[in-house]
Amino acid sequence: MGARDRLIMTYAPLAKYIVYKKIRSLPAHCDREDLISCALEALIKSIDRYEPVRGTTLEQFAWTRIHGAVIDELRRQDWAPRNLRRMERDILTARDNFSGIYGRQPTDDELAAAVGLTVTELRERRHEIASSEVTSLNSMVLTAEAAIERIDTLASSNRETDPEFAGAMSEAKAKFRRAFAALSEREREIAVLMYVNNMTLREIGQILGVSESRVCQIHGQLKHRLREALRRDADLFQEVA
């Protein structure tokens, strides 16, 4: 292996480090592999053009060239205008600064004041920023642990996979089971025949040997008892409805 190839292999991790560092600090509107290719190409050019007599080390020269090439590629791939990206950085910086001082996230009023916008303007900028994030769902996004596909970072519309909803549903089921267990045996039997077996009042009366009106009366009683038992948890059951 020649000296040039050894230098490329030696500094290739530097090129990748710059890419990973920049992707973490910018919106994920770019393709990771394209940026790495761009960075490696810049590395090779910097090795070919390096002149020690100019007083900089090869590492410094390569860093500057790679960093500039990555920034240029990010701008080329970005759909959004630069002023929108500047506003996005300003919003993120203001939010981080506020959280560092007060230990909580700012309200829209507080954040808008920090960046010199009205609340309406802030919401419009947020919408523009969100709209600018046009990218493949299969592109890679860097997290603190690993690189994952963007589709895996999207919030699911399936409520069953939401941990908070799952916890509320589990709590609601437990409360309903306790309330149901407190019903009389006849009330529980009628409830099962009606809501699990989907039987009519007449069919239930025939099975239990009572009139249809009596089944209706017991059914009304059990509904009233369940409502009373669960009245305090109305908000919980509304949440999981």
Side-chain angles (χ1 to χ4, degrees), residues 16-190:
K16 293 181 179 180
Y17 171 78
I18 293 173
V19 170
Y20 294 156
K21 183 179 176 65
K22 294 309 299 180
I23 290 180
R24 285 194 181 98
S25 63
L26 292 172
H29 51 260
C30 53
D31 183 87
R32 183 188 62 165
E33 296 302 325
D34 285 348
L35 285 176
I36 291 177
S37 295
C38 172
L40 291 174
E41 182 179 349
L43 169 63
I44 294 170
K45 289 181 179 178
S46 66
I47 291 174
D48 291 339
R49 297 175 183 176
Y50 174 62
E51 297 178 5
V53 295
R54 295 195 175 185
T56 61
T57 65
L58 175 57
E59 183 173 347
Q60 292 171 333
F61 183 71
W63 178 285
T64 301
R65 288 301 187 97
I66 295 168
H67 187 270
V70 169
I71 293 297
D72 288 343
E73 181 64 14
L74 284 168
R75 289 170 177 167
R76 188 187 68 79
Q77 292 188 19
D78 196 358
W79 292 40
R82 293 186 186 181
N83 62 343
L84 183 61
R85 289 296 174 218
R86 282 196 297 270
M87 177 55 65
E88 181 178 19
R89 289 194 294 271
D90 289 345
I91 291 173
L92 291 174
T93 299
R95 180 185 292 121
D96 290 343
N97 291 341
F98 187 97
S99 299
I101 295 171
Y102 298 101
R104 63 175 176 83
Q105 291 294 312
T107 64
D108 281 357
D109 287 330
E110 292 166 334
L111 186 56
V115 294
L117 299 174
T118 67
V119 173
T120 299
E121 289 171 338
L122 173 65
R123 290 170 180 168
E124 289 175 351
R125 296 297 87 75
R126 281 174 170 169
H127 176 72
E128 291 171 359
I129 291 167
S131 299
S132 72
E133 295 300 317
V134 181
T135 184
S136 169
L137 293 181
N138 296 117
S139 64
M140 302 305 291
V141 178
L142 291 179
T143 68
E145 294 79 21
I148 59 175
E149 288 190 355
R150 171 167 292 278
I151 193 171
D152 293 328
T153 70
L154 301 181
S156 173
S157 59
N158 183 2
R159 297 181 72 199
E160 300 295 334
T161 62
D162 179 8
E164 291 186 5
F165 176 78
M169 177 63 78
S170 178
E171 182 181 0
K173 288 180 178 180
K175 289 181 180 295
F176 181 83
R177 290 191 187 101
R178 287 195 293 269
F180 187 79
L183 297 175
S184 68
E185 182 178 353
R186 177 55 59 90
E187 288 171 336
R188 293 198 302 272
E189 188 174 13
I190 288 177

Side-chain angles (χ1 to χ4, degrees), residues 159 164-165 168-169 171-172 175 227 229-241:
R159 297 181 72 199
E164 291 186 5
F165 176 78
M169 177 63 78
E171 182 181 0
K175 289 181 180 295
R227 277 196 299 267
L230 302 172
R231 184 182 300 277
R232 293 182 179 179
D233 301 300
D235 290 342
L236 172 63
F237 283 91
Q238 181 65 33
E239 180 182 349
V240 300

